Amino acid sequence: MSLFPQIPIQSPRSHPSMEEMRCISPSLARMHLIKGKNAIDRYLAMHIKGFSKQEAAAYRNSYKKNICIDMLQQGYHKSFAELFTLIEKWNALREAGGPGSAIWLEKSLEEQPYKLDQLHYFLTRAEAAQRSENYEEVYSNQLNLAYCFNKTEDRWLRNYFYEQCYKTAQLIKIDGGKKEAEAHSNIGLVYEEQGNFLKAVEHYEAFYNLTVGRTWKDATGRNLNSLACEHLWRIYTLLAEKMLANKEHQEAIRTLTKALKMAEEAENMKMEGETAFCLGIAYFSAGELQKALLKINIYLKICKQLEDYAGLGRGYQTVARVLLSQGKKDEAIMYLEMFMDIAKNVQQSQSLVDAYTFLGNIYNECGNYSKACAYFSLAFEAANALSDLALMDEIKVYCGIGKAHSLMLKVNTNIEAADPINLKCLLDWKENRCDTCNDPSTLNAQQEGNTEDINYIPTSEATI
């Protein structure tokens, strides 16, 4: 839309005559020129609103430049410097990422007016509050900025303002430390996302210590002490998992014991159960089998109370592993069958594959190859239902191993007999590739073609 008023269209005048085109004297012409200019200026001032220098500059400048000029004109020099620093930081991150990186494909900060508006609004408000030493207001504006940039691509901005909140919270003395506690929680979250668990533990522990015995709640009504317990439980569990991966079993057990204390203090049964299970795994890895069974049984008890059937199955499977390492195969099989029943009831195909494979391996080690083959075949059927080709290939290997062990006994028996009839059985089996290496008494039936070709690996191929 034009900023100027619409000018009415006039028809052109006729061509002037020679008399009209005659030049007047220079002095008279100058006088008329001055008079005409003054009249035009008066007309334009009265009827047409023109651009001021500032308005013209605002139209020509980029949005970022106008924001910066506005900050400087209002005296917010610190906000201007901070905004300029953030834009430069974004450009440095983009250059470090290089072409093809995710940040390279994003719009720069100065090309996103909405974000510039948020920065302008809250930065200037924070600076004004800081001048009056109203640090609660400074903190509130910095926290609002952190909330504005919670998307994945803006996490660096969020983290920057969380750090500013943390610095400001140290200056607030009239709220008993609530803002400082919140700031520790937010900084701990930043370190946790970056994988720096030890630094996260420091801040979460400070958060917990500041909230002990307090009734503070966050904006959603959540008790801050309960939230601190949850944060510490989570970070202790992650830290212990990392320790177990590095074979630091005793350190992991001590850390998980702290996590269990936090879960109990938060009065969260699910967290208690998960920690008990992790402790059971840690004790099992450390070779302390009785303690492992004790903790896993606690986990099973909690799962029953919560009606967590998937957790029950996982617990039964772990108990079976511990019992098997103690040489108690019969008890291990009993727990695995319970695991299998739960997997069937809740229709967990992956768990069913695990249960069948585990049972097949136990029977295979015990020398009960027929049962081993039966369970491996069931495992293949369950894997086939998942349409997982890699898993199906793995189960085929188990099927082949079970069938090979089953045939090996009968082949060895015929070889050890070393008489013509047994050798004839071996030769016939070699030619026919039949399901079993038959006894000599069934040799005639074999020769008549009454054998059935084997397919011990559950595929369409019948090779051995």
Side-chain angles (χ1 to χ4, degrees), residues 72-295:
L72 292 172
Q73 286 177 338
Q74 295 183 47
Y76 294 114
H77 302 89
K78 184 180 177 181
S79 299
F80 161 75
E82 194 166 5
L83 176 62
F84 202 82
T85 300
L86 289 172
I87 292 173
E88 285 190 329
K89 185 177 180 180
W90 190 95
N91 291 333
L93 289 172
R94 186 173 183 270
E95 290 296 327
S101 62
I103 194 171
W104 188 271
L105 303 175
E106 295 173 11
K107 286 184 178 180
S108 66
L109 189 59
E110 54 193 282
E111 293 174 347
Q112 301 182 66
Y114 171 76
K115 293 178 182 178
L116 290 175
D117 284 341
Q118 298 298 315
L119 289 165
H120 174 271
Y121 180 76
F122 288 110
L123 284 175
T124 53
R125 285 169 62 90
E127 186 175 351
Q130 190 173 27
R131 290 172 184 171
S132 60
E133 297 185 355
N134 186 355
Y135 295 115
E136 291 90 344
E137 184 67 19
V138 175
Y139 176 89
S140 177
N141 284 286
Q142 290 171 338
L143 188 61
N144 283 330
L145 275 171
Y147 292 158
C148 286
F149 302 108
N150 207 26
K151 293 183 179 179
T152 303
E153 62 270 17
D154 299 326
R155 288 286 171 85
W156 67 276
L157 269 172
R158 185 206 64 178
N159 295 348
Y160 169 81
F161 287 112
Y162 275 155
E163 290 172 3
Q164 298 306 306
C165 287
Y166 177 68
K167 293 175 183 177
T168 304
Q170 312 300 313
L171 305 173
I172 301 173
K173 304 299 180 184
I174 63 174
D175 67 343
K178 181 180 178 181
K179 296 286 192 302
E180 185 180 355
E182 290 177 347
H184 276 296
S185 173
N186 293 330
I187 290 294
L189 176 65
V190 171
Y191 282 119
E192 183 182 345
E193 289 178 348
Q194 294 172 351
N196 193 341
F197 295 154
L198 291 176
K199 292 291 290 183
V201 165
E202 290 179 16
H203 287 282
Y204 285 148
E205 285 179 345
F207 177 34
Y208 170 78
N209 292 331
L210 285 167
T211 58
V212 170
R214 302 282 190 170
T215 57
W216 294 331
K217 297 182 184 294
D218 62 8
T220 63
R222 179 82 181 275
N223 183 277
L224 289 182
N225 183 250
S226 177
L227 186 62
C229 291
E230 184 177 323
H231 285 336
L232 274 175
W233 168 81
R234 186 180 63 252
I235 199 66
Y236 283 148
T237 304
L238 291 172
L239 196 57
E241 185 179 341
K242 195 173 181 180
M243 291 172 178
L244 283 175
N246 295 329
K247 308 297 182 183
E248 300 171 2
H249 301 127
Q250 295 305 319
E251 285 294 325
I253 289 169
R254 282 192 285 270
T255 305
L256 285 169
T257 303
K258 293 180 183 179
L260 183 59
K261 181 184 175 183
M262 291 296 104
E264 290 170 350
E265 191 169 336
E267 298 180 351
N268 189 316
M269 288 188 67
K270 185 171 179 61
M271 286 164 48
E272 288 182 49
E274 289 294 329
T275 313
F277 179 79
C278 292
L279 267 170
I281 296 295
Y283 280 122
F284 180 45
S285 301
E288 301 180 48
L289 303 183
Q290 288 301 327
K291 289 182 178 180
L293 284 174
L294 178 64
K295 293 299 180 183

